[in-house]
Amino acid sequence: MFGPAHGRPDSQADAVIDMSFHNYKPSTLTIYAGQTVEWRNISLVPHSVTNDPALALYTQDARRPDGVAPFNSGKVKAGDIILFRFPTPGVYRYFCIYHEKQRMVGEITVLPPP
């Protein structure tokens, strides 16, 4: 396998989540506000990291703190990565647009800075 998802995490990443065939590993994560998460597509199929309720099949799969704009990575090809910095504390629930029906859903709890 090739691509940045199969190398070392980006130097900005405080935590890493792997996107495998139909799930995020780990599916839950706790970080501090200001930290950055790297999602790594280690599978052979495209994925996304999306918490926009307008794109969700099931509204409970998209959650974010009040006042925070939704995010959508777009298509993350096999072997690629995306990075997202979480400046606002709260709970973020996200899903894969391509595999939400298979319950590819994750959740990140962002705590206030220590």
Coordinates of all heavy atoms in Angstrom, one line a residue, residues 28-106:
T28 N -14.1 6.2 19.0 CA -14.3 7.3 19.9 C -12.9 7.8 20.3 O -12.0 7.0 20.4 CB -15.1 6.9 21.1 OG1 -14.5 5.9 21.8 CG2 -16.5 6.5 20.7
L29 N -12.8 9.1 20.6 CA -11.6 9.7 20.9 C -11.8 10.9 21.8 O -12.9 11.6 21.6 CB -10.9 10.2 19.7 CG -9.5 10.8 19.8 CD1 -8.4 9.9 20.3 CD2 -9.1 11.4 18.4
T30 N -11.0 11.2 22.8 CA -11.0 12.4 23.6 C -9.7 13.2 23.4 O -8.6 12.6 23.5 CB -11.3 12.1 25.1 OG1 -12.5 11.4 25.2 CG2 -11.3 13.3 25.9
I31 N -9.8 14.5 23.1 CA -8.7 15.3 22.9 C -9.0 16.7 23.6 O -10.1 16.9 24.1 CB -8.4 15.6 21.4 CG1 -9.6 16.3 20.7 CG2 -8.0 14.3 20.7 CD1 -9.3 16.8 19.3
Y32 N -8.0 17.6 23.5 CA -8.1 18.9 24.1 C -8.4 19.9 23.0 O -7.8 19.7 21.9 CB -6.9 19.3 24.9 CG -6.8 18.5 26.2 CD1 -5.9 17.5 26.3 CD2 -7.6 18.8 27.3 CE1 -5.7 16.8 27.5 CE2 -7.5 18.1 28.5 CZ -6.6 17.1 28.6 OH -6.5 16.4 29.7
A33 N -9.1 21.0 23.3 CA -9.3 22.1 22.3 C -7.9 22.6 21.8 O -7.0 22.7 22.6 CB -10.1 23.2 22.9
G34 N -7.9 22.8 20.5 CA -6.6 23.2 19.9 C -5.8 22.1 19.3 O -4.8 22.3 18.6
Q35 N -6.2 20.9 19.6 CA -5.4 19.7 19.1 C -5.9 19.4 17.7 O -7.1 19.7 17.3 CB -5.5 18.5 20.0 CG -4.7 18.8 21.3 CD -4.6 17.5 22.1 OE1 -5.6 16.8 22.4 NE2 -3.3 17.2 22.5
T36 N -5.1 18.6 16.9 CA -5.4 18.3 15.6 C -5.4 16.7 15.5 O -4.6 16.0 16.0 CB -4.3 18.8 14.6 OG1 -4.3 20.2 14.7 CG2 -4.5 18.4 13.2
V37 N -6.4 16.3 14.7 CA -6.6 14.9 14.4 C -6.3 14.6 13.0 O -6.6 15.4 12.1 CB -8.1 14.4 14.7 CG1 -8.3 13.0 14.3 CG2 -8.4 14.6 16.2
E38 N -5.6 13.5 12.8 CA -5.3 13.0 11.4 C -6.1 11.7 11.2 O -6.0 10.8 12.0 CB -3.8 12.7 11.3 CG -3.4 12.1 9.9 CD -2.0 11.7 9.8 OE1 -1.2 12.7 9.9 OE2 -1.6 10.6 9.6
W39 N -6.9 11.8 10.1 CA -7.6 10.6 9.7 C -6.8 10.0 8.5 O -6.4 10.7 7.6 CB -9.0 10.9 9.2 CG -10.0 11.1 10.2 CD1 -10.8 10.2 10.8 CD2 -10.3 12.3 10.9 NE1 -11.6 10.8 11.7 CE2 -11.4 12.1 11.8 CE3 -9.9 13.7 10.7 CZ2 -11.9 13.1 12.6 CZ3 -10.4 14.6 11.5 CH2 -11.4 14.4 12.4
R40 N -6.5 8.7 8.6 CA -5.7 8.0 7.6 C -6.5 6.9 6.9 O -7.0 6.0 7.5 CB -4.5 7.3 8.3 CG -3.7 8.3 9.1 CD -2.8 7.6 10.1 NE -1.8 6.7 9.6 CZ -0.6 7.0 9.2 NH1 -0.2 8.2 9.4 NH2 0.2 6.1 8.8
N41 N -6.7 7.0 5.6 CA -7.5 6.0 4.9 C -6.5 4.9 4.5 O -5.8 4.9 3.5 CB -8.1 6.6 3.6 CG -9.0 5.6 2.9 OD1 -9.1 4.5 3.3 ND2 -9.7 6.1 1.9
I42 N -6.6 3.8 5.3 CA -5.7 2.7 5.1 C -6.4 1.6 4.4 O -5.9 0.5 4.2 CB -5.2 2.1 6.5 CG1 -6.4 1.7 7.4 CG2 -4.3 3.2 7.2 CD1 -5.9 0.9 8.6
S43 N -7.7 1.8 3.9 CA -8.4 0.8 3.1 C -8.2 1.0 1.6 O -7.5 1.9 1.2 CB -9.9 0.9 3.5 OG -10.5 2.0 2.8
L44 N -8.8 0.2 0.9 CA -8.7 0.3 -0.6 C -9.9 1.1 -1.2 O -9.9 1.2 -2.5 CB -8.7 -1.1 -1.2 CG -7.5 -2.0 -0.8 CD1 -7.7 -3.4 -1.3 CD2 -6.2 -1.4 -1.2
V45 N -10.8 1.6 -0.4 CA -12.0 2.3 -0.9 C -12.0 3.8 -0.4 O -11.4 4.0 0.7 CB -13.3 1.6 -0.6 CG1 -13.3 0.2 -1.2 CG2 -13.4 1.5 1.0
P46 N -12.6 4.7 -1.1 CA -12.7 6.1 -0.6 C -13.6 6.2 0.6 O -14.5 5.4 0.8 CB -13.2 6.9 -1.8 CG -13.9 5.9 -2.6 CD -13.3 4.6 -2.4
H47 N -13.3 7.2 1.5 CA -14.1 7.5 2.6 C -14.2 9.0 2.7 O -13.7 9.8 1.9 CB -13.4 7.0 3.9 CG -13.4 5.5 4.0 ND1 -14.5 4.7 4.1 CD2 -12.3 4.6 4.1 CE1 -14.2 3.5 4.2 NE2 -12.9 3.3 4.2
S48 N -15.0 9.4 3.8 CA -15.0 10.9 4.1 C -15.1 11.0 5.6 O -15.4 10.0 6.3 CB -16.3 11.5 3.4 OG -17.5 11.2 4.1
V49 N -14.9 12.2 6.1 CA -15.1 12.6 7.5 C -16.1 13.8 7.4 O -15.7 14.9 7.0 CB -13.8 12.9 8.2 CG1 -14.1 13.3 9.6 CG2 -12.9 11.7 8.1
T50 N -17.3 13.6 7.8 CA -18.4 14.6 7.6 C -19.2 14.7 8.8 O -19.6 13.7 9.4 CB -19.3 14.1 6.4 OG1 -18.4 13.8 5.3 CG2 -20.3 15.2 6.0
N51 N -19.5 15.9 9.2 CA -20.5 16.1 10.3 C -21.6 17.1 9.9 O -22.2 17.7 10.8 CB -19.9 16.4 11.6 CG -19.5 17.8 11.8 OD1 -19.3 18.6 10.8 ND2 -19.3 18.2 13.0
D52 N -21.8 17.2 8.6 CA -22.8 18.1 8.1 C -24.2 17.4 8.1 O -24.4 16.4 7.4 CB -22.5 18.5 6.7 CG -23.4 19.6 6.2 OD1 -24.5 19.8 6.7 OD2 -23.0 20.3 5.2
P53 N -25.1 17.8 9.0 CA -26.4 17.1 9.0 C -27.2 17.1 7.7 O -28.0 16.2 7.4 CB -27.2 17.9 10.1 CG -26.5 19.1 10.3 CD -25.1 19.0 9.9
A54 N -26.9 18.1 6.9 CA -27.6 18.2 5.6 C -27.2 17.0 4.6 O -27.9 16.7 3.7 CB -27.3 19.5 4.9
L55 N -26.0 16.4 4.9 CA -25.5 15.3 4.1 C -25.8 13.9 4.8 O -25.4 12.9 4.2 CB -24.0 15.5 3.9 CG -23.7 16.8 3.2 CD1 -22.1 16.9 3.1 CD2 -24.3 16.8 1.8
A56 N -26.3 13.9 6.0 CA -26.5 12.7 6.7 C -27.8 11.9 6.4 O -28.8 12.6 6.1 CB -26.5 12.9 8.2
L57 N -27.7 10.6 6.3 CA -28.9 9.8 6.2 C -29.7 9.8 7.5 O -30.9 9.7 7.5 CB -28.6 8.4 5.8 CG -27.9 8.2 4.4 CD1 -27.4 6.8 4.3 CD2 -28.9 8.6 3.3
Y58 N -28.9 9.8 8.6 CA -29.5 9.7 10.0 C -29.0 10.9 10.7 O -27.8 11.1 11.0 CB -29.1 8.4 10.7 CG -29.2 7.2 9.8 CD1 -28.1 6.6 9.2 CD2 -30.5 6.7 9.5 CE1 -28.3 5.4 8.4 CE2 -30.7 5.6 8.7 CZ -29.6 4.9 8.1 OH -29.7 3.9 7.3
T59 N -29.9 11.8 11.2 CA -29.5 13.0 11.8 C -28.7 12.8 13.0 O -27.8 13.7 13.3 CB -30.8 13.9 12.2 OG1 -31.6 13.1 13.0 CG2 -31.5 14.3 11.0
Q60 N -28.8 11.7 13.8 CA -28.0 11.5 15.0 C -26.5 11.2 14.7 O -25.7 11.3 15.6 CB -28.6 10.3 15.8 CG -28.4 8.9 15.2 CD -29.5 8.5 14.3 OE1 -30.3 9.3 13.8 NE2 -29.6 7.2 14.0
D61 N -26.2 11.0 13.4 CA -24.8 10.8 13.0 C -24.0 12.1 12.9 O -22.8 12.0 12.7 CB -24.7 9.9 11.8 CG -25.2 8.5 12.0 OD1 -25.3 8.1 13.2 OD2 -25.6 7.9 11.0
A62 N -24.6 13.2 12.9 CA -23.9 14.5 12.7 C -24.2 15.4 13.9 O -25.3 15.7 14.2 CB -24.4 15.2 11.4
R63 N -23.1 15.7 14.7 CA -23.3 16.5 15.9 C -22.1 17.4 16.0 O -20.9 17.0 15.7 CB -23.4 15.6 17.1 CG -23.6 16.3 18.4 CD -23.8 15.4 19.5 NE -23.9 16.1 20.8 CZ -23.9 15.5 21.9 NH1 -23.8 14.2 22.0 NH2 -23.9 16.2 23.0
R64 N -22.3 18.6 16.5 CA -21.2 19.5 16.8 C -21.7 20.5 17.8 O -22.9 20.7 17.9 CB -20.7 20.2 15.5 CG -21.8 21.0 14.8 CD -21.4 21.3 13.4 NE -22.4 22.3 12.9 CZ -23.6 22.1 12.4 NH1 -24.1 20.8 12.5 NH2 -24.3 23.0 12.0
P65 N -20.8 21.2 18.4 CA -21.2 22.2 19.4 C -21.9 23.4 18.7 O -21.7 23.6 17.5 CB -19.9 22.7 20.0 CG -18.9 21.6 19.7 CD -19.3 21.0 18.4
D66 N -22.8 24.0 19.5 CA -23.6 25.2 18.9 C -22.6 26.2 18.4 O -21.6 26.5 19.1 CB -24.4 25.8 20.0 CG -25.6 24.9 20.4 OD1 -26.0 24.0 19.6 OD2 -26.2 25.0 21.5
G67 N -22.9 26.8 17.3 CA -22.1 27.9 16.7 C -20.9 27.4 15.9 O -20.2 28.2 15.3
V68 N -20.6 26.1 15.9 CA -19.5 25.6 15.1 C -20.0 25.1 13.7 O -21.0 24.4 13.6 CB -18.8 24.4 15.8 CG1 -17.8 23.7 14.9 CG2 -18.2 24.8 17.1
A69 N -19.4 25.6 12.7 CA -19.8 25.2 11.3 C -19.5 23.7 11.1 O -18.6 23.2 11.6 CB -19.0 26.0 10.3
P70 N -20.4 23.1 10.3 CA -20.1 21.7 9.9 C -18.9 21.5 9.0 O -18.5 22.5 8.4 CB -21.4 21.2 9.2 CG -22.0 22.5 8.7 CD -21.6 23.6 9.6
F71 N -18.3 20.4 9.1 CA -17.2 20.1 8.2 C -17.4 18.9 7.3 O -18.2 18.0 7.7 CB -15.8 20.0 8.9 CG -15.7 18.9 9.9 CD1 -15.5 17.6 9.5 CD2 -15.9 19.2 11.3 CE1 -15.4 16.6 10.5 CE2 -15.8 18.2 12.2 CZ -15.5 16.9 11.8
N72 N -16.8 18.9 6.1 CA -16.9 17.7 5.2 C -15.5 17.6 4.5 O -15.2 18.5 3.8 CB -18.0 18.0 4.2 CG -18.1 16.8 3.2 OD1 -17.5 15.8 3.4 ND2 -18.9 17.1 2.2
S73 N -14.9 16.5 4.7 CA -13.6 16.3 4.1 C -13.6 16.2 2.6 O -12.6 16.3 1.9 CB -12.9 15.1 4.6 OG -13.6 13.9 4.3
G74 N -14.8 15.8 2.0 CA -14.9 15.4 0.6 C -14.3 14.0 0.5 O -14.0 13.3 1.6
K75 N -14.1 13.5 -0.7 CA -13.6 12.2 -0.9 C -12.1 12.1 -0.4 O -11.3 12.8 -0.9 CB -13.7 11.8 -2.4 CG -13.2 10.4 -2.7 CD -13.1 10.1 -4.2 CE -14.4 9.6 -4.6 NZ -14.4 9.1 -6.0
V76 N -11.8 11.1 0.5 CA -10.5 10.8 0.9 C -10.1 9.5 0.2 O -10.6 8.5 0.6 CB -10.4 10.7 2.4 CG1 -8.9 10.4 2.9 CG2 -10.9 12.0 3.1
K77 N -9.3 9.6 -0.8 CA -8.9 8.4 -1.5 C -8.0 7.5 -0.7 O -7.4 7.9 0.3 CB -8.1 8.8 -2.8 CG -9.0 9.6 -3.7 CD -8.1 10.1 -4.9 CE -8.9 11.0 -5.8 NZ -8.1 11.5 -6.9
A78 N -8.0 6.2 -1.1 CA -7.2 5.2 -0.5 C -5.7 5.7 -0.4 O -5.2 6.3 -1.3 CB -7.2 3.9 -1.3
G79 N -5.2 5.6 0.8 CA -3.8 6.0 1.1 C -3.6 7.5 1.4 O -2.5 7.9 1.8
D80 N -4.7 8.3 1.4 CA -4.6 9.7 1.7 C -5.0 9.9 3.1 O -5.5 9.1 3.8 CB -5.6 10.5 0.8 CG -5.0 10.7 -0.6 OD1 -3.8 10.4 -0.9 OD2 -5.8 11.2 -1.5
I81 N -4.7 11.2 3.6 CA -5.0 11.6 4.9 C -5.7 12.9 4.9 O -5.7 13.6 3.9 CB -3.7 11.8 5.8 CG1 -2.8 12.9 5.3 CG2 -2.9 10.5 5.9 CD1 -1.7 13.4 6.2
I82 N -6.3 13.3 6.0 CA -6.8 14.6 6.2 C -6.5 15.0 7.6 O -6.4 14.2 8.5 CB -8.4 14.8 5.9 CG1 -9.2 13.9 6.9 CG2 -8.7 14.5 4.5 CD1 -10.5 14.5 7.1
L83 N -6.4 16.3 7.9 CA -6.1 16.8 9.2 C -7.2 17.8 9.5 O -7.7 18.6 8.6 CB -4.8 17.6 9.2 CG -3.5 16.7 9.0 CD1 -2.4 17.6 8.6 CD2 -3.2 15.9 10.2
F84 N -7.6 17.8 10.8 CA -8.6 18.8 11.2 C -8.3 19.2 12.6 O -8.1 18.4 13.5 CB -10.0 18.2 11.2 CG -11.1 19.3 11.4 CD1 -11.5 20.1 10.5 CD2 -11.7 19.4 12.7 CE1 -12.5 21.1 10.7 CE2 -12.6 20.4 13.0 CZ -13.0 21.2 12.0
R85 N -8.2 20.5 12.9 CA -7.9 21.1 14.2 C -9.2 21.4 14.8 O -10.1 22.0 14.2 CB -7.1 22.4 14.0 CG -6.6 22.9 15.4 CD -5.7 24.1 15.1 NE -5.4 24.8 16.4 CZ -6.2 25.8 16.9 NH1 -7.3 26.2 16.2 NH2 -5.9 26.3 18.0
F86 N -9.4 21.1 16.1 CA -10.6 21.3 16.9 C -10.4 22.4 17.9 O -9.9 22.2 19.0 CB -11.0 20.0 17.6 CG -11.5 18.9 16.7 CD1 -10.6 18.1 16.1 CD2 -12.8 18.8 16.4 CE1 -11.0 17.1 15.2 CE2 -13.3 17.8 15.6 CZ -12.4 16.9 15.0
P87 N -10.8 23.7 17.5 CA -10.6 24.8 18.5 C -11.6 24.9 19.6 O -11.4 25.6 20.6 CB -10.6 26.0 17.6 CG -11.4 25.6 16.4 CD -11.2 24.1 16.2
T88 N -12.8 24.3 19.4 CA -13.9 24.5 20.3 C -14.3 23.2 21.0 O -14.5 22.2 20.4 CB -15.2 25.0 19.4 OG1 -14.8 26.1 18.7 CG2 -16.3 25.3 20.4
P89 N -14.3 23.3 22.4 CA -14.7 22.1 23.2 C -16.2 21.7 22.8 O -17.0 22.5 22.4 CB -14.6 22.6 24.6 CG -13.7 23.8 24.6 CD -13.9 24.5 23.2
G90 N -16.4 20.4 23.0 CA -17.7 19.9 22.8 C -17.6 18.5 22.2 O -16.6 17.9 22.1
V91 N -18.8 18.0 21.8 CA -18.9 16.6 21.2 C -19.1 16.8 19.7 O -20.0 17.5 19.3 CB -20.0 15.8 21.8 CG1 -20.1 14.5 21.1 CG2 -19.7 15.6 23.3
Y92 N -18.3 16.1 18.9 CA -18.4 16.1 17.5 C -18.7 14.6 17.0 O -17.9 13.7 17.3 CB -17.1 16.5 16.8 CG -16.7 17.9 17.1 CD1 -16.2 18.3 18.4 CD2 -16.8 18.9 16.2 CE1 -15.8 19.6 18.7 CE2 -16.5 20.3 16.4 CZ -16.0 20.6 17.7 OH -15.6 21.9 18.0
R93 N -19.8 14.4 16.4 CA -20.1 13.1 15.8 C -20.0 13.2 14.3 O -20.6 14.2 13.7 CB -21.5 12.6 16.3 CG -21.7 11.2 15.9 CD -23.0 10.6 16.5 NE -22.9 10.6 17.9 CZ -23.8 11.2 18.7 NH1 -24.9 11.7 18.2 NH2 -23.7 11.2 20.0
Y94 N -19.4 12.3 13.7 CA -19.2 12.4 12.2 C -19.4 11.0 11.6 O -19.5 10.0 12.3 CB -17.8 12.9 11.9 CG -16.7 12.0 12.5 CD1 -16.1 11.0 11.8 CD2 -16.2 12.2 13.8 CE1 -15.1 10.2 12.3 CE2 -15.3 11.4 14.4 CZ -14.7 10.4 13.6 OH -13.7 9.6 14.2
F95 N -19.5 11.0 10.3 CA -19.7 9.8 9.5 C -19.1 9.8 8.2 O -18.6 10.8 7.7 CB -21.3 9.6 9.3 CG -21.9 10.8 8.6 CD1 -22.1 10.7 7.2 CD2 -22.3 11.9 9.2 CE1 -22.6 11.8 6.5 CE2 -22.8 13.0 8.6 CZ -23.0 12.9 7.2
C96 N -19.0 8.7 7.5 CA -18.5 8.5 6.2 C -19.7 8.6 5.2 O -20.7 7.8 5.4 CB -17.8 7.2 6.0 SG -17.2 6.9 4.3
I97 N -19.7 9.5 4.3 CA -20.8 9.7 3.4 C -21.0 8.4 2.6 O -22.2 8.0 2.3 CB -20.5 10.8 2.4 CG1 -20.7 12.2 3.1 CG2 -21.5 10.8 1.2 CD1 -20.3 13.4 2.3
Y98 N -20.0 7.7 2.3 CA -20.1 6.5 1.5 C -20.5 5.2 2.2 O -21.0 4.3 1.7 CB -18.7 6.2 0.8 CG -18.2 7.4 0.0 CD1 -17.2 8.1 0.6 CD2 -18.7 7.7 -1.2 CE1 -16.7 9.2 -0.1 CE2 -18.3 8.9 -1.9 CZ -17.3 9.6 -1.3 OH -16.8 10.7 -2.0
H99 N -20.3 5.2 3.6 CA -20.6 4.0 4.4 C -21.4 4.3 5.6 O -21.3 3.5 6.6 CB -19.2 3.4 4.7 CG -18.4 3.0 3.5 ND1 -17.3 3.8 3.2 CD2 -18.6 2.1 2.6 CE1 -16.8 3.3 2.0 NE2 -17.6 2.3 1.7
E100 N -22.2 5.4 5.6 CA -23.0 5.6 6.8 C -24.0 4.5 7.0 O -24.3 4.1 8.2 CB -23.7 7.0 6.7 CG -24.5 7.4 7.9 CD -25.3 8.7 7.7 OE1 -25.3 9.3 6.6 OE2 -25.8 9.2 8.7
K101 N -24.6 4.0 6.0 CA -25.5 2.9 6.1 C -24.9 1.7 6.8 O -25.6 0.9 7.5 CB -26.1 2.4 4.7 CG -27.2 3.3 4.2 CD -27.7 2.7 3.0 CE -28.9 3.5 2.5 NZ -29.5 3.0 1.3
Q102 N -23.6 1.5 6.6 CA -22.9 0.4 7.3 C -22.4 0.8 8.7 O -21.7 0.1 9.3 CB -21.6 -0.1 6.4 CG -22.0 -0.8 5.2 CD -22.3 0.2 4.0 OE1 -22.1 1.4 4.1 NE2 -23.0 -0.3 3.0
R103 N -22.9 2.0 9.1 CA -22.6 2.5 10.5 C -21.1 2.9 10.7 O -20.6 2.8 11.7 CB -23.1 1.5 11.6 CG -24.5 1.1 11.5 CD -25.5 2.2 11.3 NE -25.5 3.2 12.4 CZ -25.6 4.5 12.2 NH1 -25.8 5.0 11.0 NH2 -25.5 5.3 13.3
M104 N -20.6 3.5 9.6 CA -19.2 4.0 9.8 C -19.4 5.4 10.4 O -19.6 6.4 9.6 CB -18.5 4.1 8.4 CG -17.0 4.5 8.6 SD -16.1 4.2 7.0 CE -14.5 4.8 7.5
V105 N -19.4 5.5 11.7 CA -19.6 6.7 12.5 C -18.6 6.8 13.6 O -18.2 5.8 14.2 CB -21.1 6.6 13.1 CG1 -21.3 7.9 13.9 CG2 -22.1 6.5 12.0
G106 N -18.1 8.0 13.9 CA -17.2 8.2 14.9 C -17.6 9.4 15.8 O -18.5 10.1 15.4

